[in-house]
Amino acid sequence: MDLLVKKIKTEGKVYPGNILKVDGFLNHQIDPKLMNAIGDEIYRLYKEEKVTKIMTIEASGIAIALATAMKFDVPMLFAKKSQSKNISPSVYSTKVTSFTHGRVYDVMVSRDYLNSDDKVLIVDDFLANGIALKGLINLVEQAGATLVGCAIAIEKGFQSGGKLLRDSGVRIESLAVIKNMTDDGQLEFEDDAE
Amino acid sequence: MDLLVKKIKTEGKVYPGNILKVDGFLNHQIDPKLMNAIGDEIYRLYKEEKVTKIMTIEASGIAIALATAMKFDVPMLFAKKSQSKNISPSVYSTKVTSFTHGRVYDVMVSRDYLNSDDKVLIVDDFLANGIALKGLINLVEQAGATLVGCAIAIEKGFQSGGKLLRDSGVRIESLAVIKNMTDDGQLEFEDDAE
């Protein structure tokens, strides 16, 4: 997706350790025009599926997921992170280890809002090792819902998450795939500027 | 705002201790049509101001803030919560006590995205004791930015936050104001169905 790749190239910042900061437009300060365009593109990719729910995880997936839900005109559901020891019986929950924060979270959604009739499209800002996506997919499975696929803004194609999930049969559409990034700030995209 | 009041009346759930659950459409599962309408209404209220930034706090403010930012066509910035002990010098930060979780958080925004030229509209899902809003206002002040006002989806008018903030000169616009709620589930709105 041209606009997103261009934004990453011009405004993204690369730090040692494969860290890409896009907090000027994607996950801290958020560009509403870009969100709208991302929603359009995800709708174009998945419009043939009878999606009934857009699902993501707090906090940085929410903006993209809402923009997408506006295009599909279906509810958006964001999974909540918690470190609480007591999990309510009214939720589906799973454990997710955060790469960024080095902590284990319980990730949960209310059973009221996900059920076996749902056709779920999972949306998130980043795909790297795929741990957050796997957690969300696990919640979809617990609910007996159908997973339509996943739509990701930025995939770090040099990490294993995308390949593992695709190999397991999950449809993954990433709007920008980074093939390679170096500590001195170089970024190489798949199908550069696709 | 009729649509919001109607949603609260038909889908909100009241629990003892002044707890109003609106997680079916506002802060867990999110209704994109409602978000769009909320964005329109907030734009109507503040369109005369030269707003340059919509600001909120993660996670449940993000959807409303994005919908609002889409109407104003300005960036949205969401403050992040953290319990980390080390605050980066690159952020403005303040401490906020969560009513829901009974914990103290550091709330922060990057200095890169808030500055003295900004005219900031703060948006959030709830106003009760006003502690989260005060934290956000504090960040705006630290940046030397101008606070245009606040726009809130649901104000618990029987708690003190709204009055205290208005008395201090802050413009607060709440789309639904609950005057009274009882443990048996009764809700009374200000200017009922305004």
Side-chain angles (χ1 to χ4, degrees), chain A:
Chain A
M1 183 186 166
D2 284 357
L3 177 62
L4 178 59
V5 169
K6 194 178 153 195
K7 276 274 197 189
I8 298 167
K9 283 182 175 174
T10 55
E11 298 177 36
K13 286 168 211 151
V14 178
Y15 295 96
N18 290 332
I19 293 168
L20 171 64
K21 284 199 86 169
V22 288
D23 65 0
F25 56 93
L26 194 68
N27 50 22
H28 179 31
Q29 178 170 260
I30 290 177
D31 176 343
K33 269 205 179 67
L34 177 66
M35 292 303 114
N36 191 56
I38 285 176
D40 279 334
E41 177 66 6
I42 295 175
Y43 182 71
R44 188 185 69 79
L45 290 162
Y46 280 102
K47 65 172 183 248
E48 310 301 337
E49 309 290 335
K50 293 181 191 335
V51 172
T52 65
K53 198 146 289 184
I54 308 297
M55 193 170 149
T56 189
I57 184 166
E58 67 178 1
S60 53
I62 294 175
I64 296 173
L66 176 64
T68 305
M70 284 174 163
K71 303 299 175 178
F72 281 89
D73 197 16
V74 299
M76 183 270 271
L77 178 66
F78 70 86
K80 301 196 175 197
K81 291 175 196 165
S82 158
Q83 291 185 283
S84 61
K85 294 205 176 74
N86 300 308
I87 303 298
S88 157
S90 66
V91 301
Y92 300 111
S93 82
T94 188
K95 289 192 186 301
V96 167
T97 304
S98 162
F99 168 73
T100 321
H101 302 104
R103 259 187 268 175
V104 178
Y105 293 96
D106 290 303
V107 171
M108 57 192 75
V109 294
S110 166
R111 287 172 188 255
D112 290 344
Y113 308 124
L114 196 61
N115 65 61
S116 59
D117 295 332
D118 276 317
K119 293 174 80 91
V120 180
L121 172 60
I122 294 174
V123 168
D124 209 357
D125 58 339
F126 269 101
L127 167 56
N129 53 35
I131 286 174
L133 277 194
K134 271 183 236 163
L136 291 174
I137 292 169
N138 182 289
L139 297 178
V140 171
E141 288 168 349
Q142 286 182 47
T146 304
L147 177 69
V148 163
C150 302
I152 305 296
I154 304 176
E155 178 177 346
K156 290 178 173 171
F158 53 89
Q159 287 189 241
S160 60
K163 178 170 167 33
L164 287 172
L165 285 163
R166 288 184 183 96
D167 286 352
S168 75
V170 177
R171 179 177 172 193
I172 310 275
E173 301 281 357
S174 299
L175 307 191
V177 180
I178 299 171
K179 246 166 71 176
N180 197 27
M181 55 196 287
T182 59
D183 284 357
D184 66 346
Q186 299 302 304
L187 283 173
E188 190 188 348
F189 289 85
E190 218 167 75
D191 314 314
D192 207 54
E194 180 258 336

Side-chain angles (χ1 to χ4, degrees), chain B residues 107-169:
Chain B
V107 170
M108 57 191 77
V109 294
S110 167
R111 288 171 188 255
D112 290 345
Y113 308 124
L114 195 62
N115 64 62
S116 58
D117 295 332
D118 276 316
K119 293 174 80 88
V120 181
L121 173 59
I122 293 175
V123 168
D124 209 357
D125 58 339
F126 270 100
L127 168 56
N129 53 34
I131 287 176
L133 278 194
K134 271 183 236 162
L136 291 173
I137 291 169
N138 182 289
L139 297 178
V140 171
E141 288 169 350
Q142 285 182 47
T146 303
L147 178 68
V148 163
C150 303
I152 305 295
I154 304 176
E155 178 177 345
K156 290 178 174 170
F158 53 89
Q159 288 191 238
S160 61
K163 178 170 166 34
L164 287 171
L165 286 162
R166 288 183 183 97
D167 286 352
S168 76

Side-chain angles (χ1 to χ4, degrees), chain B residues 80-99:
Chain B
K80 301 195 177 197
K81 291 175 195 164
S82 159
Q83 292 185 282
S84 60
K85 294 206 177 74
N86 300 307
I87 304 296
S88 156
S90 65
V91 301
Y92 300 111
S93 82
T94 189
K95 289 193 188 300
V96 167
T97 305
S98 162
F99 168 73

